[in-house]
Amino acid sequence: MDKRTIVVALGGNALGNDIDEQKVAVAKTAGVIVDLAQQDLNIVITHGNGPQVGMIQTAMDNVVVRYKNYKQVPLPGSIAMSQGYIGIDLQNAIKYELLRRGIDGKVSTILSQIEIDKNDPAFQHPTKPIGRFMTKEEAEINEAHGIPCMEDAGRGYRIVVPSPMPKRVRELETVKTLLRAGHIVIACGGGGMPVVEEDGQLHGVNAVVDKDNVSCLLAQKLDADQLIILTAVEHAALNFRKENQVWLKDITVEEAKRYVAEGHFAPGSMLPKVEASIRFAESKPGRRSLITLLDKATDGLAGKTGTHIHI
Ligand code: ADP
Ligand code: MG
């Protein structure tokens, strides 16, 4: 592959919180992606699925409560549904934007499974907030029923599940094949369906792989040049939301590691982005990571804004 390859991880703000918001959000996101596509890059898009998988799982819960003959859909099944439902909206929006700009582009969505280690220590410490936001009172009721909850970056309470590290993207060769054929590829949505392999069979696991971590793994395996994490803030910050807040612009892996150790980044939101960025940047000379606002992707790639992390 001669073209530079970038892996673009889309956060919740790229997709919206419900069906109506998603239609509007993906149209805007498609503009951002096609701006990048016009720079002659191989592009792989990953995305979160928090609100969408929460909606699907809630719907499935209600079906089980109301109708005797329905069985509960396990979380990996709901993740698969969310990959399809988000992927098709995103794929169509990007195709439409390409068409609108007179570009003959191809876009594909790949249902993706991620192998994890069933002995991952994450199963002892759930860290990943999923689903709808709740009040403290609602969270306490869940906790009383043995469903762990946590406060999420000042935005309310959510259910929290284990977030094991991704070990292998099962559909890696498919992604590579489509890139070589000139497709923009949407893969590993919602972090991918977590699976373990036993006797040649893949079994779903009740967990959520962080989309920033899986994006880092995918970027390494594709030998990408840049990992770009697009989110709701233009920069990662030290002393976030405090009086002495400092936006980070260009930092080394060493500096980033120190800031992680000092506890500047919230677990479950900014911490996995910075950790994934560090891991990608240090995995091979020349690799760089960028964390920035969705709207600033092009400026970020040009080095004009965002938090850049490199060796
Ligand atoms: P996404 O859906 O894009 O993954 P998250 O909400 O998981 O977004 O993570 C991004 C959020 O992390 C930001 O919007 C911000 O509120 C929060 N955050 C926590 N710590 C920091 C920090 N140190 N610097 C910047 N943002 C932070
Ligand atoms: Mg997140």
Side-chain angles (χ1 to χ4, degrees):
M1 286 177 219
D2 296 322
K3 287 199 255 180
R4 285 200 302 151
T5 300
I6 61 170
V7 171
V8 183
L10 300 174
N13 64 330
L15 303 170
N17 288 306
D18 59 34
I19 290 171
D20 294 335
E21 281 184 25
Q22 184 167 309
K23 285 277 178 228
V24 177
V26 295
K28 180 183 152 193
T29 301
V32 172
I33 298 300
V34 175
D35 285 346
L36 295 173
Q38 289 193 293
Q39 300 185 44
D40 200 29
L41 300 160
N42 288 316
I43 299 178
V44 179
I45 300 163
T46 65
H47 60 81
N49 71 346
Q52 293 83 1
V53 77
M55 176 185 83
I56 292 166
Q57 197 71 39
T58 303
M60 293 302 158
D61 289 348
N62 286 337
V63 167
V64 176
V65 170
R66 290 178 65 169
Y67 304 102
K68 263 211 309 271
N69 295 329
Y70 283 91
K71 300 258 164 61
Q72 179 56 280
V73 172
L75 189 52
S78 293
I79 294 171
M81 292 184 213
S82 76
Q83 288 183 350
Y85 154 63
I86 295 167
I88 200 65
D89 263 4
L90 206 49
Q91 176 179 316
N92 286 342
I94 295 169
K95 273 198 174 161
Y96 178 71
E97 187 62 25
L98 287 165
L99 186 75
R100 218 175 57 81
R101 298 193 200 181
I103 306 165
D104 180 25
K106 292 164 278 193
V107 192
S108 299
T109 304
I110 301 302
L111 292 179
S112 311
Q113 305 176 87
I114 308 302
E115 262 180 67
I116 53 121
D117 178 355
K118 63 181 176 203
N119 298 315
D120 192 298
F123 289 100
Q124 261 71 59
H125 307 280
T127 54
K128 184 67 191 168
I130 60 162
R132 69 186 179 90
F133 289 94
M134 299 177 288
T135 62
K136 191 163 196 261
E137 291 68 35
E138 287 177 287
E140 280 165 2
I141 293 168
N142 271 300
E143 292 266 4
H145 287 84
I147 301 166
C149 296
M150 70 179 274
E151 207 280 325
D152 184 9
R155 298 172 298 182
Y157 289 76
R158 293 166 94 184
I159 288 173
V160 61
V161 297
S163 188
M165 286 304 285
K167 294 282 172 204
R168 181 178 166 204
V169 179
R170 295 293 301 207
E171 290 73 18
L172 183 66
E173 286 310 313
T174 314
V175 173
K176 284 185 178 173
T177 303
L178 286 165
L179 278 184
R180 276 194 292 268
H183 289 237
I184 294 173
V185 184
I186 302 164
C188 299
M193 277 167 273
V195 294
V196 290
E197 186 178 329
E198 273 160 20
D199 303 325
Q201 279 202 316
L202 296 179
H203 300 282
V205 178
N206 189 44
V208 167
V209 177
D210 186 87
K211 71 111 179 20
D212 300 311
N213 283 333
V214 86
S215 305
C216 171
L217 177 68
L218 186 60
Q220 289 182 55
K221 297 298 174 190
L222 293 171
D223 198 18
D225 302 276
Q226 281 244 9
L227 170 63
I228 303 180
I229 299 177
L230 300 179
T231 186
V233 285
E234 192 164 341
H235 307 266
L238 301 182
N239 309 310
F240 183 58
R241 288 193 180 139
K242 294 185 189 140
E243 266 172 35
N244 54 345
Q245 172 174 290
V246 179
W247 295 121
L248 295 169
K249 296 186 175 157
D250 195 276
I251 57 173
T252 64
V253 162
E254 291 316 310
E255 288 169 324
K257 283 183 178 173
R258 194 169 76 238
Y259 301 146
V260 166
E262 289 170 2
H264 287 285
F265 312 114
S269 61
M270 188 48 73
L271 182 61
K273 296 185 202 317
V274 176
E275 287 180 332
S277 298
I278 290 171
R279 235 178 300 117
F280 180 68
E282 71 181 0
S283 63
K284 192 173 162 185
R287 290 181 177 170
R288 296 173 66 89
S289 303
L290 165 66
I291 300 169
T292 195
L293 195 62
L294 175 67
D295 316 52
K296 300 283 180 175
T298 300
D299 281 352
L301 188 63
K304 292 181 194 158
T305 190
T307 301
H308 294 260
I309 302 179
H310 51 85
I311 296 179

